[in-house]
Amino acid sequence: MCGIVGYIGSQDAYPILIKGLKRLEYRGYDSAGVALLNGDISVYKKKGKVSELEDYVRGKDTSCTIGIGHTRWATHGEPSDLNAHPHQSEKGLFTIIHNGIIENYAVLKQGLIEHGMSFKSETDTEVLANLIEYIYTTQQVSVENAVGLALKKVIGAYGLVVLSREDPNLMIAARRSSPLVIGLGSNEYFIASDATPIVEYTDRVIYLNNDDMALIRRNELVLKNLTSDGTSVNIQTLDLGISEIEKQGYDHFMLKEIFEQPRSIKDTFRGRIQPETNEIRLGGLHEVKDKLVGARRIVIIACGTSWHAGLVGEYLLEDMARIPVEVEYASEFRYRNPMIGPDDVVLAISQSGETADTLAAIQLAKESGALVLGICNVAGSSISRETHAGVYTHAGAEIGVASTKAFTAQVTVLTMMAMMIGKEKGLLDEERFAHLIRELNEIPGKIEKILEQNEEFVRIAKIYKDATNALYLGRGVSFPVALEGALKLKEISYIHAEGYPAAEMKHGPIALIDQNMPVVFIATRDSSYEKIVSNIQEVKARNGVVIAIVTEGDETIRGMADHVIEIPETDDSLIALPTVIPLQLIAYHIAVMRGCNVDQPRNLAKSVTVE
């Protein structure tokens, strides 16, 4: 889950590396470092943020036109100067940065120790650096072959870049199950773990395939594959603007991305819903549409916020399309020998398209003969390439670690899929279908009205910023929204919070309720409204504090709750989209008031590319 950046060309490399590391800091920020090649290789690394590395390097010689940089999210070895990347081999012949986990590093390390090699750090990455050097010096092979032979001994995942003082005009990049992208310039190349550091310099990129190794010189790029005779080279054009990866006046990326949701939802359905012809066209599913409509069941696999979106999808697909749906944590699905067959559709959801557990689950589903579809936000990502077909969300770059606009974009896609299948099966008549299209088209405007209440969310946050626990309750499709609201609060403010189906409150959580714990109800007018009113009364009878999200004009709950947040009236099927917005903003403001690092919460990284 680390950030990688590299440059080779004619420009001064160090400013490119530092700027790239700052843009990648959301991927890992335990420590950071750079290696600069100018005759010899100078390595500077520091525990903490990229700004601390920048302070450390200030005044030192950084002149070079080849260099690599890294932001770390610790797996092997605690965050420290010593464990920070880049790592050098024992004699300093090779310098490496690495994202992923070398699973057999302990066995490799012991073998190298027995051959007299020593280690400075606790990392698996240093083992790989020493392995490359050992092969290079004992087998007397080229730098390229030493790297290739070492990687063939590795079990695990890696995205890595290698420099060698033995061949100072060469940079080697390699990938297995951990993303790497190469940006193409004029006699220069940029390397990164995602496109955010590259977009300022070029929009032409190559996404490396599994087991690809790139040999990069200033005027030459050669791609090879470690396990086959050839590899596909597909130059893509980035659909990413520099403004998307800058804050544009907002205090935090998370706040910017919350306020972008009217646009990101509109971009996700733009050109796909056709109000004038009463149609939904999801081009990425065109060739598999018949199999999707005829599916025996749909299994949704995802992690974190994407899993919550999948739960919303379960309600929508079963209601509109009448297809049985199971929602699985990808990390559990891949290890429990699931029953999957050719009549099943497996739907993988991931913002980054690089989630390691989801990718492994996709492979398992493909081996079982299922049709595997993807919903992701990043063109060219691994999931978009590994699935048979899919739909992009068009949410735009999401930099804040706590996902916001990706969730609503994913729910938007799932809603369109459910509507499309329901209409194809004749389960949604023309009137109902047209109504849902109109409703979906109006969602961005309704969210804009909710965002106008931001000062009310600030006021509520001030009251509850010192809470130690919180409970989020909802029924039906609002239950996954409750889960998502609780996750947002705990991951950025570090307040313990749990989401439950409201009816389950009496089966345990009610024991926690007192005047110090806020209970957030999603209580819009729907088929279970009377039940949720009863649940609110049960909380108030025990001196609980209630924050209720209600439909505009609701006076019944206003007379019970301590705080009421009104949202515009919305069809039950689409209620997840507007109701999650207040939960995101309340969590954001509480976290800011508690002095938390909203965009980079402790122990978390944006893309979970390791198991």
Side-chain angles (χ1 to χ4, degrees):
M1 297 189 290
C2 310
I4 284 173
V5 62
Y7 174 78
I8 179 170
S10 58
Q11 297 188 59
D12 189 0
Y14 177 70
I16 295 171
L17 299 179
I18 284 294
K19 185 178 286 188
L21 291 179
K22 288 178 178 177
R23 288 189 173 147
L24 286 170
E25 201 164 15
Y26 70 99
R27 295 181 67 101
Y29 35 86
D30 294 337
S31 57
V34 293
L36 310 175
L37 198 162
N38 188 1
D40 203 356
I41 298 176
S42 301
V43 173
Y44 306 111
K45 52 188 186 175
K46 201 71 178 167
K47 176 184 175 182
K49 306 288 186 183
V50 175
S51 59
E52 293 173 70
L53 169 68
E54 200 172 14
D55 291 340
Y56 175 66
V57 174
R58 191 168 287 115
K60 295 180 170 62
D61 181 13
T62 60
S63 56
C64 70
T65 55
I66 303 177
I68 55 178
H70 188 272
T71 60
R72 181 172 186 247
W73 188 89
T75 54
H76 294 74
E78 67 180 9
S80 68
D81 291 354
L82 208 55
N83 288 330
H85 295 218
H87 285 284
Q88 291 191 293
S89 57
E90 185 180 43
K91 296 177 182 177
L93 303 184
F94 294 89
T95 303
I96 183 172
I97 53 176
H98 165 228
N99 182 17
I101 292 178
I102 307 301
E103 295 175 9
N104 61 334
Y105 85 100
V107 173
L108 294 171
K109 184 175 184 177
Q110 184 58 40
L112 293 169
I113 290 172
E114 290 172 2
H115 284 97
M117 299 196 85
S118 60
F119 293 82
K120 298 175 183 177
S121 76
E122 305 166 85
T123 68
D124 54 339
T125 303
E126 188 187 8
V127 175
L128 183 52
N130 272 346
L131 178 61
I132 295 169
E133 182 175 275
Y134 176 76
I135 291 172
Y136 178 77
T137 55
T138 59
Q139 298 188 25
Q140 297 184 328
V141 294
S142 67
V143 168
E144 171 195 337
N145 286 337
V147 174
L149 289 170
L151 292 179
K152 288 180 179 179
K153 295 180 180 292
V154 163
I155 298 171
Y158 56 77
L160 58 88
V161 187
V162 181
L163 295 179
S164 175
R165 72 183 193 201
E166 301 293 282
D167 192 343
N169 295 308
L170 174 67
M171 180 180 287
I172 298 178
R175 182 225 187 208
R176 179 188 295 163
S177 302
S178 188
L180 273 184
V181 57
I182 299 176
L184 312 180
S186 177
N187 292 322
E188 62 180 356
Y189 295 93
F190 306 83
I191 304 169
S193 43
D194 67 44
T196 52
I198 288 175
V199 64
E200 183 174 346
Y201 307 101
T202 181
D203 63 354
R204 298 173 65 242
V205 298
I206 296 171
Y207 290 92
L208 294 189
N209 299 310
N210 262 349
D211 295 311
D212 274 359
M213 185 168 76
L215 309 175
I216 309 169
R217 301 182 187 274
R218 287 180 176 83
N219 58 355
E220 182 183 46
L221 169 64
V222 177
L223 280 181
K224 299 184 176 182
N225 193 278
L226 297 170
T227 59
S228 63
D229 292 335
T231 187
S232 59
V233 178
N234 182 18
I235 298 175
Q236 299 189 32
T237 301
L238 288 175
D239 183 19
L240 178 66
I242 192 71
S243 62
E244 292 185 61
I245 56 175
E246 295 179 341
K247 292 179 185 174
Q248 294 183 301
Y250 287 91
D251 290 339
H252 298 92
F253 280 111
M254 183 179 178
L255 185 62
K256 172 178 176 273
E257 288 155 9
I258 290 171
F259 273 80
E260 284 177 338
Q261 286 174 106
R263 178 197 58 77
S264 59
I265 291 172
K266 188 178 294 184
D267 285 349
T268 296
F269 68 61
R270 188 194 311 275
R272 291 168 167 172
I273 62 171
Q274 313 287 333
E276 62 282 356
T277 58
N278 210 24
E279 289 181 284
I280 287 180
R281 298 172 185 166
L282 299 176
L285 301 180
H286 178 72
E287 293 185 2
V288 298
K289 188 175 180 180
D290 290 344
K291 192 166 184 179
L292 178 58
V293 170
R296 180 177 65 92
R297 106 188 132 143
I298 295 174
V299 179
I300 297 175
I301 52 175
C303 301
T305 286
S306 296
W307 186 77
H308 296 158
L311 287 176
V312 175
E314 178 182 20
Y315 282 94
L316 299 178
L317 286 161
E318 290 193 342
D319 177 48
M320 296 184 195
R322 305 306 296 155
I323 299 175
V325 178
E326 297 175 18
V327 185
E328 301 266 7
Y329 285 112
S331 55
E332 291 297 312
F333 176 85
R334 59 178 295 203
Y335 286 117
R336 67 168 184 79
N337 194 22
M339 295 178 64
I340 299 291
D343 294 330
D344 294 322
V345 171
V346 173
L347 179 57
I349 308 176
S350 167
Q351 188 283 135
S352 66
E354 301 293 350
T355 310
D357 284 318
T358 306
L359 279 164
I362 286 170
Q363 190 58 44
L364 176 62
K366 287 170 71 176
E367 291 169 359
S368 300
L371 172 65
V372 183
L373 307 178
I375 297 176
C376 67
N377 190 38
V378 181
S381 62
S382 297
I383 285 178
S384 69
R385 288 181 288 159
E386 291 294 326
T387 48
H388 296 118
V391 183
Y392 288 115
T393 54
H394 299 303
E398 188 178 67
I399 305 300
V401 167
S403 185
T404 52
K405 64 177 181 176
F407 173 79
T408 50
Q410 289 165 352
V411 170
T412 300
V413 169
L414 289 161
T415 302
M416 291 189 291
M417 287 181 66
M419 290 168 61
M420 180 189 74
I421 298 169
K423 186 182 182 187
E424 287 291 320
K425 295 178 73 170
L427 300 171
L428 293 178
D429 61 33
E430 290 292 325
E431 183 179 355
R432 173 67 175 155
F433 190 80
H435 170 74
L436 288 172
I437 283 186
R438 286 194 302 272
E439 280 283 300
L440 185 56
N441 202 42
E442 291 172 3
I443 287 292
K446 292 179 180 181
I447 289 178
E448 285 175 353
K449 288 187 66 177
I450 296 168
L451 293 171
E452 291 170 1
Q453 302 178 54
N454 190 38
E455 287 306 311
E456 175 63 12
F457 307 142
V458 172
R459 189 181 72 82
I460 293 171
K462 284 180 181 176
I463 297 170
Y464 298 107
K465 66 181 176 62
D466 296 319
T468 54
N469 296 283
L471 191 61
Y472 288 69
L473 302 173
R475 284 177 176 261
V477 75
S478 294
F479 160 53
V481 179
L483 290 173
E484 177 61 11
L487 176 62
K488 288 287 99 54
L489 186 68
K490 70 179 105 178
E491 68 183 340
I492 63 169
S493 75
Y494 318 139
I495 295 173
H496 173 253
E498 297 296 336
Y500 277 90
E504 287 297 301
M505 178 183 65
K506 295 188 288 293
H507 296 274
I510 199 168
L512 300 172
I513 290 172
D514 60 22
Q515 65 272 23
N516 298 315
M517 186 174 76
V519 182
V520 180
F521 279 93
I522 301 165
T524 53
R525 286 195 178 275
D526 58 19
S527 57
S528 59
Y529 177 76
E530 298 301 330
K531 300 291 185 185
I532 208 89
V533 169
S534 296
N535 296 141
I536 292 173
Q537 290 171 327
E538 290 162 352
V539 170
K540 294 306 297 178
R542 289 157 179 81
N543 296 318
V545 178
V546 171
I547 303 168
I549 298 174
V550 303
T551 305
E552 234 169 20
D554 187 319
E555 295 300 326
T556 302
I557 293 177
R558 182 174 291 279
M560 304 177 194
D562 298 88
H563 310 277
V564 166
I565 298 166
E566 291 191 341
I567 68 164
E569 186 170 352
T570 303
D571 188 278
D572 292 1
S573 298
L574 305 179
I575 202 65
L577 293 168
T579 52
V580 77
I581 307 300
L583 306 185
Q584 294 171 348
L585 279 168
I586 290 171
Y588 167 80
H589 290 302
I590 286 176
V592 170
M593 291 173 192
R594 288 167 66 92
C596 301
N597 189 334
V598 172
D599 285 335
Q600 298 169 2
R602 68 188 182 204
N603 302 330
L604 296 177
K606 183 66 178 173
S607 301
V608 184
T609 57
V610 296
E611 296 179 36

